[in-house]
Amino acid sequence: MKLAVVTAGLSVPSSTRLLADRLAAATVAAAGEPVEVSVVELRDIALDVTKNLLTGFPGPELRAAIETVTGADALIAVTPVFTAGYSGLFKSFFDVLDTDSLAGKPVLLAATGGTERHSLVLDYQLRPLFGYLKADPVATGVYAASSDWGSGEASGALQRRIEKAGAELASLTAGRPAASGGPAFVPFEQLLAQ
């Protein structure tokens, strides 16, 4: 199984990257098969994303990132929340993808932010975006506020959400044909049989 992880954190270290790594680890642990994990740090290709929006031509690093994401069997997409929404860099990256390139691809959606009040970004912004891209998001999205990091009950609750979402992604990906680099299509009858 090939797992692509897209993280839009801007700082180093980044709580967005930390959440992405923990989600990837939970997915790998639940997969029950070898998993090849590839991480795309959008911070590193921000200029390429902008140039592609202006010219319509991806540079080599952006092209490699797009191939990593579209060629994966499953995707974890994590964004920080800025001004009550996903980051502009996150949205810009997904804007440069072909609208059918994620069709049928299992996706785990996640976000980080300073306050719990922005947790609805998962359902009101990320799900519609990935719905438009025809992806197949898992039921459990993971939002991590600043108060979720550290020790105590909040940290334990975050870890339980991470493990649940990772297990859902691994389960949704199991039994699907391996990605060929293009859009994956699974007939409805096959989904019912699973």
Side-chain angles (χ1 to χ4, degrees):
M1 172 176 142
K2 291 186 202 174
L3 175 63
V5 181
V6 173
T7 174
L10 299 178
S11 61
V12 178
S14 163
S15 62
T16 304
R17 174 63 192 262
L18 177 60
L19 180 59
D21 289 344
R22 289 177 67 180
L23 289 165
T27 304
V28 168
E33 65 177 281
V35 179
E36 178 187 324
V37 179
S38 300
V39 177
V40 175
E41 284 272 7
L42 296 183
R43 174 186 68 245
D44 296 340
I45 58 170
L47 291 175
D48 285 343
V49 170
T50 302
K51 287 177 185 176
N52 187 83
L53 290 170
L54 296 173
T55 66
F57 298 102
E61 289 182 22
L62 178 57
R63 184 176 295 117
I66 291 170
E67 289 171 1
T68 295
V69 170
T70 59
D73 299 305
L75 173 64
I76 296 173
V78 190
T79 181
V81 174
F82 296 128
T83 320
Y86 44 61
S87 80
L89 178 57
F90 182 84
K91 177 67 165 66
S92 294
F93 175 75
F94 287 101
D95 283 346
V96 303
L97 297 182
D98 179 72
T99 56
D100 291 326
S101 64
L102 298 182
K105 189 177 301 294
V107 179
L108 194 166
L109 305 174
T112 59
T115 175
E116 296 84 357
R117 291 183 297 239
H118 295 302
S119 64
L120 292 176
V121 73
L122 295 170
D123 292 323
Y124 289 97
Q125 292 186 359
L126 291 178
R127 286 193 190 280
L129 171 63
F130 284 89
Y132 176 79
L133 295 170
K134 303 175 187 88
D136 191 5
V138 299
T140 302
V142 178
Y143 180 82
S146 296
S147 60
D148 289 322
W149 302 104
S151 60
E153 180 55 34
S155 178
L158 173 61
Q159 186 59 35
R160 288 188 293 277
R161 291 192 311 272
I162 288 170
E163 290 170 2
K164 180 179 180 186
E168 288 175 6
L169 183 61
S171 176
L172 187 59
T173 307
R176 289 184 181 227
S180 61
F185 174 75
V186 180
F188 184 68
E189 295 81 20
Q190 185 179 347
L191 290 174
L192 290 177
Q194 292 180 353

